Amino acid sequence: MEEKRVYTFGNGKAEGRADMRNLLGGKGANLAEMNLIGVPVPPGFTITTEVCNEYFEKGKADVVSLLKDDVEKSVRHIENLMGLRFGDAKNPLLVSVRSGARASMPGMMDTILNLGLNDEVVVGLARKTDNERFAYDSYRRFVQMYGDVVLGMKPVNKDDIDPFEAIIEQVKAKRGIVLDNEMNVDELKKLVALFKAAIKERTGEVFPENPIDQLWGAICAVFDSWMNERAILYRKMEGIPQEWGTAVTVMAMVFGNMGDTSATGVCFSRDAATGENRFNGEYLVNAQGEDVVAGIRTPQQITKEGSLRWARQQGISEEIRAAKFPSMEEAMPDIYKQLDALQDKLEKHYHDMQDMEFTVQEGKLWFLQTRNGKRTGTAMVKIAIDLLHEGEIDEKTAIERCEPNKLDELLHPVFDKEALANAKVLTRGLPASPGAACGQIVFFADDAAKWHDAGHKVVMVRLETSPEDLAGMSAAEGILTARGGMTSHAAVVARGMGKCCVSGAGAIMVDYKTRTVEIDGVVLHEGDYISLNGTTGEVYNDQVTTRPATVSGDFAELMKLCDKYTRMVVRTNADTPHDAEVAKNFGAIGIGLCRTEHMFFENDKIKAMREMILAEDRKGREVALAKLLPLQEKDFYGILKCMDGMPVNIRLLDPPLHEFVPHDLKGQEAMAQEMGKSLDFIQKRVASLAEVNPMLGLRGCRLGITYPEITAMQTKAILGAALRLKKEGLDPRPEIMVPLVGTDKELKSQQAVIKAAAKELFDEKGMSIDFKLGTMIEIPRAALTADRIAKHADYFSFGTNDLTQMTFGYSRDDAARFLPTYLDNKILEVDPFQVLDQTGVGQLVDMGVKKGRSTNPMLKCGICGEHGGEPSSVKFCHRTGLDYVSCSPFRVPIARLAAAQAAVEE
Ligand code: PEP
Ligand code: MG
């Protein structure tokens, strides 16, 4: 059988269906489906996406001859249903030619309207409609669109002048008028002639008068638009394969601009912003679709309720509203009733919120399009839960309807939409931690804290941040850095705090001396206002107002549903009781990573820590460690108490020691005094700690092996806190984790130190407590030898930040220098520090789990790298058989949803 290339629809019949979107594109499939369910749609036909591929394989001439019979037959089909003739001056049929891919690619490809007009037909149209102005306006728009789209006259650069627009301006200037719709019939006629002359002059081609020639030109142009730069870029961004191709739909034109019984509009079956079950939309009487978009006239609301609300917001009185901006419900009550019934029908049919386009031509309603509507995160959750309650969808579908990353919008403060529309974007960086922040610029952590205490809202602007900046970051509304990627210190810590952060904004020049930052020629001083959008990476001049996030009951209900279906559980990465509390409220059932180093920067702890690091010998270290022990125990007490009855995985000291010592003179002098040593001594010790490659140097378990007394002190602090809580009748569940292990002997040696310290403590206190001992798998060699390592571990936690760094050989802190180029050139599809590289790094995780469980079947496995909160990585973790993922508090709900989806998909 010959391949079917063209599918017709019209008058309640269609050769296609909704589930044929791969072949007919979203638009074509839904137009067919609407016919089948009794929604009025102008008749037409769709040329398949497969023809698009043939077009690029075989070329234009071959494809036109392949399609010729089918297309001509299908044009007859439209003519018969409409009672009109293509190219007939008395009773002319006009058509639109539209693109439509499988996935929606809004505005990326081309559309041609009013096709079929020529010098003869336009006269007939004017006579038939008794509206010369309408006919010539349609004609000049068509010639212009045809010249732009089919004959390639659309300017390539946005600064180039559109030759047609230039002609329009000349014609208007001659009579001193401003608006397009002020042109009279003679002027519109003149435009047509001038446009045609411009086409001849520019392209050497004569504008085709024959409608069939016009049609072929338009069909081929729509196929060509699949390969335009915009479309190619969009496909790259959205991961849409080129082979999908676009379909072409040719459809009878219906006109919303044929007088006061005609109209055009767009409507939604529910509120796309809030999710409320409220039919809404906008329309314009006597207008074409592009008039709504052009913004020359103010569109009116469809429902009366919407209209009243709109008038209130605009400060428009009821008299004026009713007279000048009545709703469709009031102005066209019969049409409104039909529209309302049909939108309801469409929503029930698709079981989802619909976004629809319609036209009313002389009192007859036509639908031109329907699709599942785009929506905000809040609306997404509400609509899914409401549809579940209404019995439209089942629980699994409700879970699958929600996009995990969109939950983020529900968790962080966001910019006020109106304020944002008026704000000036200064520059862009990485969207390191979502949310909105607005405050006065400060450059130093202590200033951030001071200003904050004095009641100011501040944004901390830094070249980069380090653990020393923690207090400042905590006091700030948001953080902006010039350097650093998505797992840089600033990014990780900010996400942990749920604090807005834009990192790696390469265009900002920070001058700490003058306390200024120059962004694209604008110099901002300490105290000036700046605003950050951590969700998009945009940086704005001045103050942009924010509003706090709200978590609704639907959201909680969705999370409960997730728990019902999920297999993996979700823990959190938290270093303070505050973060732990936030995460617990978001549903974390334990801590998957407590980075102890962050605790050392508070209050007196940093002094004792520095004393320990700068000590000359073991004895000196032990003196300092004795000061640290009770302080650390207090930290662990707080966090274990907050997470009572839940596992708390505490990691032993991990970062290179030089991160803790003072590098400035003031700090070094203070240390010298504190320790009773000379400044020279301190400076030499600091210098001796410098490493060429600290990320691969003395860090992780290498610290604990070099200085076992640190491991012993931390063990006693963790277990000491747990014992106190046990005595108080609580149920602490500590886990002690050894970082950066690469050989089984490293773990074995640390295990011995931990066990000895525990025994010493238990003997001393006369009581004991169970605890688990595990390790991070974050060095490739650990994954390769996981069978050996697992013999000494109760659990593995995959540290995919370091594992990615070491598998790719990309420095976490320097990757922002070249990753953008890699992404632009498609050397990498995504940033591997954000989205787990399943092909490479994923193999190591998979191997680690399998090998580990081969020697230790009871081994629990989790992940605590940043990927633990990224949906596609979470789903990979599920498939790999991990028991849990652990992520920043503000990503806990996202991970819960992704984990449930992974289970449902299985
Ligand atoms: C990791 O490496 O993935 C990890 C969680 O540890 P950190 O980010 O603290 O190095
Ligand atoms: Mg690590």
Side-chain angles (χ1 to χ4, degrees):
M1 206 180 83
E2 231 217 291
E3 191 187 326
K4 189 166 170 57
R5 293 187 172 85
V6 178
Y7 289 71
T8 57
F9 56 82
N11 209 18
K13 294 200 180 70
E15 295 177 308
R17 285 187 317 267
D19 62 6
M20 289 165 75
R21 67 184 298 132
N22 292 0
L23 194 62
L24 303 180
K27 192 177 289 155
N30 284 337
L31 285 167
E33 187 79 5
M34 282 198 279
N35 269 286
L36 297 178
I37 64 168
V39 174
V41 167
F45 60 90
T46 299
I47 305 170
T48 67
T49 54
E50 282 169 4
V51 176
C52 184
N53 288 332
E54 281 183 299
Y55 180 85
F56 289 110
E57 272 161 35
K58 298 184 175 149
K60 196 167 178 163
D62 272 11
V63 167
V64 170
S65 71
L66 267 178
L67 287 175
K68 195 166 181 299
D69 287 351
D70 285 344
V71 165
E72 285 177 2
K73 223 165 54 199
S74 305
V75 170
R76 297 286 97 74
H77 160 84
I78 307 180
E79 289 178 337
N80 292 338
L81 291 179
M82 294 297 282
L84 302 168
R85 289 276 166 267
F86 203 40
D88 182 64
K90 280 207 211 84
N91 238 348
L93 166 72
L94 303 189
V95 296
S96 64
V97 181
R98 299 161 190 266
S99 58
R102 205 191 280 202
S104 131
M105 292 173 59
M108 292 302 130
M109 290 174 294
D110 292 321
T111 294
I112 296 118
L113 304 176
N114 301 331
L115 189 140
L117 280 170
N118 58 27
D119 287 346
E120 259 175 63
V121 170
V122 71
V123 179
L125 184 69
R127 197 176 312 128
K128 189 184 167 207
T129 57
D130 197 19
N131 190 338
E132 211 183 7
R133 193 172 190 289
F134 155 73
Y136 279 94
D137 192 41
S138 303
Y139 192 21
R140 72 95 187 162
R141 286 179 198 240
F142 169 53
V143 177
Q144 180 173 355
M145 248 187 204
Y146 201 88
D148 273 340
V149 174
V150 182
L151 303 173
M153 286 175 65
K154 195 181 333 191
V156 183
N157 299 313
K158 74 174 185 328
D159 297 333
D160 293 351
I161 297 163
D162 181 320
F164 299 116
E165 292 300 330
I167 294 170
I168 294 175
E169 289 313 312
Q170 281 165 19
V171 168
K172 286 195 295 192
K174 214 161 177 187
R175 201 160 55 88
I177 53 176
V178 180
L179 298 175
D180 286 7
N181 61 3
E182 288 175 306
M183 287 185 286
N184 59 32
V185 174
D186 284 341
E187 280 159 342
L188 293 170
K189 283 183 182 171
K190 196 161 156 203
L191 279 188
V192 172
L194 289 172
F195 283 178
K196 287 186 180 175
I199 289 174
K200 181 84 204 344
E201 190 196 313
R202 281 270 187 131
T203 68
E205 288 191 52
V206 179
F207 172 80
E209 295 282 326
N210 179 348
I212 282 286
D213 293 343
Q214 294 173 355
L215 182 60
W216 285 115
I219 290 172
C220 294
V222 171
F223 281 141
D224 285 333
S225 71
W226 180 249
M227 289 298 192
N228 75 29
E229 254 177 59
R230 268 180 313 174
I232 291 173
L233 189 72
Y234 187 86
R235 283 203 294 276
K236 272 190 185 166
M237 272 164 29
E238 299 287 312
I240 299 173
Q242 185 177 309
E243 317 79 77
W244 282 8
T246 180
V248 180
T249 294
V250 178
M251 204 166 142
M253 281 294 295
V254 284
F255 296 95
N257 52 348
M258 285 180 68
D260 288 344
T261 55
S262 300
T264 190
V266 175
C267 57
F268 299 86
S269 61
R270 294 180 193 232
D271 192 314
T274 64
E276 282 164 282
N277 189 358
R278 191 166 76 72
F279 174 45
N280 67 97
E282 294 179 336
Y283 81 112
L284 270 176
V285 176
N286 196 13
Q288 259 192 324
E290 54 195 272
D291 299 328
V292 183
V293 183
I296 297 166
R297 287 167 58 189
T298 308
Q300 291 153 240
Q301 298 297 308
I302 295 208
T303 64
K304 182 168 181 194
E305 178 244 295
S307 181
L308 293 171
R309 188 201 308 239
W310 169 84
R312 262 199 314 277
Q313 283 162 355
Q314 302 282 315
I316 290 173
S317 73
E318 176 53 15
E319 286 76 34
I320 293 182
R321 184 203 71 80
K324 288 183 77 178
F325 305 105
S327 65
M328 181 184 239
E329 191 172 357
E330 296 157 289
M332 299 180 152
D334 289 343
I335 295 286
Y336 171 79
K337 264 190 217 128
Q338 292 172 39
L339 184 68
D340 190 17
L342 288 169
Q343 64 85 18
D344 192 46
K345 180 173 191 160
L346 280 170
E347 188 188 275
K348 292 223 160 68
H349 184 71
Y350 287 100
H351 308 288
D352 200 358
M353 187 262 274
Q354 295 299 294
D355 163 357
M356 297 150 285
E357 282 174 28
F358 65 89
T359 285
V360 181
Q361 178 178 313
E362 299 186 303
K364 163 120 183 77
L365 172 66
W366 299 95
F367 275 68
L368 304 183
Q369 176 163 331
T370 191
R371 57 183 167 198
N372 295 339
K374 299 225 179 299
R375 60 203 76 178
T376 65
T378 310
M380 170 187 81
V381 173
K382 177 159 177 56
I383 292 172
I385 295 295
D386 282 353
L387 288 173
L388 172 68
H389 290 172
E390 292 161 24
E392 289 292 322
I393 56 175
D394 62 16
E395 291 181 347
K396 287 184 179 176
T397 310
I399 290 173
E400 285 187 305
R401 279 285 169 81
C402 295
E403 207 181 298
N405 277 330
K406 277 188 95 82
L407 289 183
D408 207 48
E409 293 170 34
L410 279 78
L411 307 174
H412 297 271
V414 285
F415 280 120
D416 194 73
K417 273 214 184 71
E418 270 170 43
L420 204 57
N422 299 318
K424 180 173 176 287
V425 176
L426 277 179
T427 186
R428 288 184 174 79
L430 295 170
S433 180
C438 166
Q440 291 173 277
I441 295 175
V442 292
F443 294 94
F444 299 97
D446 49 352
D447 289 332
K450 263 187 253 156
W451 286 48
H452 173 78
D453 292 346
H456 298 273
K457 284 190 186 316
V458 297
V459 167
M460 206 159 102
V461 179
R462 305 275 311 159
L463 281 173
E464 61 204 341
T465 64
S466 72
E468 282 180 66
D469 297 322
L470 207 68
M473 291 172 76
S474 159
E477 302 301 308
I479 299 110
L480 170 64
T481 70
R483 300 190 201 129
M486 296 294 287
T487 54
S488 64
H489 178 267
V492 173
V493 174
R495 274 200 293 277
M497 293 174 167
K499 193 138 287 195
C500 165
C501 174
V502 174
S503 70
I508 74 168
M509 291 190 288
V510 179
D511 187 342
Y512 290 139
K513 266 208 210 104
T514 56
R515 301 194 175 211
T516 56
V517 53
E518 189 179 333
I519 309 176
D520 205 13
V522 180
V523 179
L524 298 174
H525 297 83
E526 185 177 68
D528 287 348
Y529 276 94
I530 194 168
S531 300
L532 311 178
N533 187 338
T535 313
T536 61
E538 280 162 336
V539 179
Y540 304 92
N541 206 351
D542 230 22
Q543 300 187 64
V544 185
T545 355
T546 61
R547 58 183 169 80
T550 52
V551 179
S552 72
D554 297 315
F555 180 55
E557 195 170 338
L558 175 70
M559 288 293 107
K560 226 169 113 188
L561 263 191
C562 289
D563 292 344
K564 182 169 166 187
Y565 289 94
T566 198
R567 180 183 58 71
M568 281 193 307
V569 291
V570 179
R571 296 197 193 181
T572 190
N573 293 356
D575 311 332
T576 63
H578 172 264
D579 290 354
E581 195 63 43
V582 171
K584 209 164 72 173
N585 287 335
F586 286 145
I589 58 96
I591 289 183
L593 173 63
C594 173
R595 291 176 166 103
T596 49
E597 58 269 20
H598 293 159
M599 298 173 165
F600 290 117
F601 282 91
E602 287 163 4
N603 318 323
D604 282 348
K605 270 174 282 185
I606 189 64
K607 276 193 206 146
M609 183 69 181
R610 286 172 171 173
E611 196 179 324
M612 191 272 292
I613 295 167
L614 297 171
E616 266 173 301
D617 49 23
R618 184 171 179 136
K619 203 156 158 273
R621 266 193 303 280
E622 277 174 351
V623 171
L625 284 167
K627 291 185 199 165
L628 274 175
L629 177 66
L631 301 172
Q632 277 253 282
E633 191 183 302
K634 198 164 144 227
D635 289 331
F636 297 138
Y637 177 88
I639 210 155
L640 283 164
K641 185 169 180 179
C642 168
M643 300 304 279
D644 185 44
M646 299 184 199
V648 175
N649 182 16
I650 298 170
R651 179 178 73 184
L652 300 177
L653 193 64
D654 179 54
L657 294 182
H658 77 95
E659 285 192 10
F660 298 95
V661 296
H663 293 279
D664 60 314
L665 186 63
K666 223 169 93 194
Q668 291 175 345
E669 281 171 349
M671 264 334 286
Q673 206 174 10
E674 185 78 17
M675 291 172 66
K677 301 272 182 191
S678 70
L679 178 63
D680 184 54
F681 169 85
I682 299 291
Q683 286 176 331
K684 284 203 175 114
R685 285 292 295 151
V686 169
S688 75
L689 287 169
E691 291 175 288
V692 174
N693 217 334
M695 266 293 173
L696 301 177
L698 180 56
R699 60 170 286 222
C701 67
R702 299 157 207 170
L703 281 171
I705 290 169
T706 312
Y707 307 117
E709 54 277 15
I710 301 180
T711 300
M713 180 280 285
Q714 289 202 297
T715 302
K716 286 185 180 172
I718 295 166
L719 297 177
L723 286 181
R724 262 171 67 197
L725 288 163
K726 190 177 169 185
K727 235 184 181 162
E728 291 166 23
L730 297 185
D731 177 21
R733 302 196 181 174
E735 301 178 344
I736 299 176
M737 180 157 75
V738 182
L740 221 72
V741 158
T743 84
D744 55 338
K745 295 239 174 73
E746 283 173 322
L747 182 59
K748 234 176 121 178
S749 124
Q750 283 292 281
Q751 187 186 41
V753 177
I754 293 166
K755 289 208 163 143
K759 181 167 185 313
E760 215 177 287
L761 179 78
F762 295 162
D763 288 348
E764 181 195 319
K765 302 278 177 200
M767 64 187 287
S768 67
I769 188 158
D770 284 339
F771 67 95
K772 294 205 160 42
L773 201 160
T775 185
M776 293 194 67
I777 303 290
E778 53 184 341
I779 289 184
R781 195 182 187 281
L784 296 167
T785 59
D787 46 348
R788 292 160 171 265
I789 293 173
K791 288 181 190 159
H792 312 288
D794 296 318
Y795 63 91
F796 281 173
S797 180
F798 288 88
T800 45
N801 300 335
D802 273 311
L803 196 58
T804 299
Q805 166 167 266
M806 294 192 220
T807 304
F808 275 92
Y810 297 164
S811 157
R812 286 161 67 171
D813 296 314
D814 302 308
R817 290 226 182 153
F818 56 85
L819 274 185
T821 313
Y822 270 42
L823 296 172
D824 283 349
N825 291 319
K826 287 278 153 191
I827 290 172
L828 290 175
E829 295 294 322
V830 287
D831 179 348
F833 289 106
Q834 287 179 56
V835 179
L836 186 74
D837 162 48
Q838 298 180 17
T839 324
V841 179
Q843 279 194 55
L844 290 170
V845 175
D846 189 48
M847 179 188 293
V849 174
K850 289 205 174 92
K851 284 197 149 195
R853 290 192 178 139
S854 73
T855 55
N856 179 357
M858 300 302 288
L859 187 77
K860 284 258 179 292
C861 293
I863 181 176
C864 63
E866 284 303 296
H867 307 94
E870 190 283 318
S872 71
S873 313
V874 171
K875 291 182 181 181
F876 170 82
C877 291
H878 172 95
R879 294 194 298 271
T880 311
L882 295 196
D883 298 293
Y884 71 86
V885 298
S886 185
C887 57
S888 315
F890 282 86
R891 293 203 76 83
V892 167
I894 295 166
R896 286 170 77 192
L897 177 55
Q901 285 183 345
V904 166
E905 280 161 21
E906 205 175 55

